[in-house]
Structure formats: C-alpha cells, structure tokens
Amino acid sequence: MSRFKAAILLILGAFCFSTTGVFQSIAPEEASPWIISEARLSVGCLCLFLWCFFTGKLPQNWKTLPWKYILLCVLCIVSYSPLFFFSVKAVGVSTTAVVAIGVTPLWTATIEKILYGNDPPIRWYMATFLAIAGIVHMNAESFTGGTSLIYSLLPIAAGFVYGVLLVTTPKVLEYLPAETTMMIVMGISSFVMLPVLFISPFGWVFTKQGILVVLGIGIISVGLAFSLFMTGLKYTGSVIGSTLGLAEPVGAALLGILVLDEPVSQLQVGGLHLLFASIVLLVLGQIALQDFIFPNKKNKSTKI
C-alpha cells in the first residue's frame, strides 16, 4: 500500500473516531462514562470478531502472539476511555477531542525519541507547529468559568496514553492484521472493565436511545475507526500517524458545531483552519511527492 493511500485511511479512521463525543452527548442522562466505555469496547470487539471470522483473519496460533505489547495496548485502551469521557462531561466534545488528540503528536515524538532515538522529519515540525497554533486558537476561551484544574489535565493525560498506544500498536501489527489486533485488544479491555457494571447503572443501554448510542459508538467510532486507522498506521509510522490523527479534532469540532449546535467563535474557526493546514501539509506534501512524482523510488524508512 502506498503511503498516500495509507494517509487517507488514517484520516478516514480519525473522522470515525470524531463521532465518539457526539454519541456520548446524545446518550441518556444516566449514562456514565464507565458504561459507555465498556459498551463501546464490547460492541467494537464483537463487530471486529465477526469481520475477522468471516474473512479468515482469526489467529491460528495464540501462543505465538506478542502478548507483552498486546497487554500494553490493553492498558492504554482501558486508561484512555475514562479519561476521554470524563473530560467530555467537564469541558465539552470539541475541547476534549482537540486537546487530547492535539497533544498526541508531541507525546508520540517524545516517546519515539526516548525509546528508539528516532527524530521526526522536518515537515513534521512544521505541521505540528501549525497544529499547536490551531489548538491554542480553539481553546483560548474553553477553560474559563470555573473549570477544575483536574478536568483541564484529563485530555492532556489522555493524549499521553494515546501516544503510547500509537507507538506500541505497530509492534503487534508485525504479527497480525489491524482488525485482528484491535479485536484482541478490545476483547481483553472489555473483560478487564466488566466490574464497572456493578458500580454504574446500565439499564439505559436497553432503551431505543441507548441502543442507538451503543451501536453507533461501537461500530463506527471503534470497529470501523480502529480498522481504518491502524491499517494506515502500519504504513506511515506512529509519529506521522499521530499528526494525521488531528483530523479527529477537526471532525469533532465540526460535528459539535453542526450537529450539537455548540457555540463557535472566530478564534475557533481560525484554529480549525490551522489544524486543517497541518494535515494538508503532511498529506499533500511529501507523501504525494514520493508516491506520484517519484513512484519508483524506494524508501526503506517508514517515515514520511
């Protein structure tokens, strides 16, 4: 697969991720972040299991799987979900998605540098600078009105956990397809989080509105999202993938504005433009250059 096509898959996956906050916002009032997290993992795992079963992608030898990396991915998934959903309740869909995903490229590059000594390409610095500028614009008015410091830090912590996930997942993708990887990770994560059923009410799941939310968040924002995103990540690398993941806050902000009727200021509109520019810089810059102008030039590195 060319890196340009992989980048498109990453962006499509990121837009599917962006529906998460919207589904939570339309969930019944008694829906807690814990139950939503468990529901999205369970339904997402079931969706991916059915896909893997009918396409012959289930593992043949479970003993040879890279369990060390799989369990680290599980820890990231279990940690990320409550961090994200509690943040949404406190600071809103747009702000949570923008901050959590916006800081992820910085965390990812830092982790890659510490663990493997890898330096991002120059183009990444330019794109990340635009992204940070966009984040500053979009959040200039967000953390006002008495928002607790702990809730302000939650999306930043979620970004760190997501960065660890993006660095770890490619290790598992060396052994398994993206769909199979996420099916296993989500299945174990769902099992780990089962105790939340005893501490939070979940009767709302069986209402019409609850069923819509659970199916939507499981199939679209988990099953489809992770399959597309992780497949693209395999061919672009974690640092570039995390930056292209900025399509998620762009999508979340647009959905928050268009679907949820969240207020928008000129600063937020300017921030969206900067975030979009950072994505365009990566996708239509060096990726397009290498795939179309020099299509036969081999590059052993996964960096773009």
Side-chain angles (χ1 to χ4, degrees):
M1 178 184 294
S2 70
R3 282 166 292 182
F4 181 79
K5 292 180 180 178
I8 297 301
L9 290 181
L10 278 166
I11 293 173
L12 290 175
F15 272 110
C16 289
F17 280 131
S18 71
T19 62
T20 301
V22 174
F23 281 119
Q24 183 190 3
S25 296
I26 65 174
E29 291 185 4
E30 61 270 26
S32 73
W34 295 108
I35 299 299
I36 291 179
S37 298
E38 172 63 14
R40 73 192 289 264
L41 291 173
S42 301
V43 176
C45 174
L46 177 61
C47 174
L48 291 173
F49 172 78
L50 293 175
W51 173 261
C52 292
F53 178 80
F54 287 109
T55 57
K57 292 184 178 181
L58 291 176
Q60 300 298 316
N61 188 349
W62 291 80
K63 293 182 180 180
T64 60
L65 299 182
W67 288 108
K68 177 176 67 174
Y69 296 114
I70 288 175
L71 293 178
L72 182 54
C73 289
V74 169
L75 179 61
C76 292
I77 292 290
V78 171
S79 302
Y80 180 83
S81 294
L83 285 171
F84 182 89
F85 287 120
F86 275 111
S87 183
V88 166
K89 274 187 170 295
V91 299
V93 175
S94 298
T95 299
T96 297
V98 167
V99 175
I101 306 304
V103 300
T104 297
L106 301 178
W107 284 124
T108 305
T110 301
I111 296 168
E112 284 266 359
K113 177 65 176 178
I114 294 174
L115 294 181
Y116 309 115
N118 295 336
D119 292 315
I122 295 177
R123 189 176 297 273
W124 177 87
Y125 289 99
M126 299 168 62
T128 303
F129 174 79
L130 289 174
I132 292 174
I135 291 171
V136 171
H137 274 73
M138 291 193 67
N139 291 274
E141 302 172 355
S142 297
F143 294 109
T144 58
T147 301
S148 170
L149 175 61
I150 184 63
Y151 286 116
S152 301
L153 296 176
L154 283 178
I156 297 176
F160 170 75
V161 170
Y162 195 33
V164 175
L165 177 66
L166 295 183
V167 173
T168 306
T169 302
K171 299 294 183 181
V172 185
L173 296 178
E174 295 176 4
Y175 298 83
L176 295 168
E179 305 95 313
T180 311
T181 296
M182 298 317 302
M183 176 199 73
I184 295 172
V185 170
M186 289 183 185
I188 299 175
S189 300
S190 175
F191 178 78
V192 171
M193 292 190 65
L194 274 178
V196 304
L197 297 178
F198 298 98
I199 63 175
S200 298
F202 59 91
W204 63 269
V205 171
F206 303 103
T207 65
K208 290 183 179 179
Q209 189 177 2
I211 292 173
L212 173 64
V213 170
V214 168
L215 290 179
I217 207 169
I219 295 173
I220 298 176
S221 66
V222 175
L224 184 59
F226 271 112
S227 296
L228 292 170
F229 194 86
M230 294 307 173
T231 299
L233 185 69
K234 183 176 181 179
Y235 298 94
T236 62
S238 57
V239 174
I240 295 297
S242 64
T243 303
L244 291 177
L246 291 169
E248 178 179 347
V250 173
L254 291 176
L255 288 173
I257 295 167
L258 299 176
V259 178
L260 303 178
D261 198 27
E262 291 185 346
V264 59
S265 66
Q266 291 184 345
L267 282 174
Q268 289 175 312
V269 172
L272 281 173
H273 280 84
L274 290 171
L275 282 168
F276 184 74
S278 72
I279 296 171
V280 171
L281 178 61
L282 286 176
V283 177
L284 299 183
Q286 191 169 346
I287 299 176
L289 181 68
Q290 292 179 350
D291 285 335
F292 294 117
I293 298 180
F294 302 110
N296 297 320
K297 185 177 179 179
K298 296 182 179 180
N299 190 339
K300 295 181 182 180
S301 172
T302 57
K303 291 183 180 180
I304 296 178

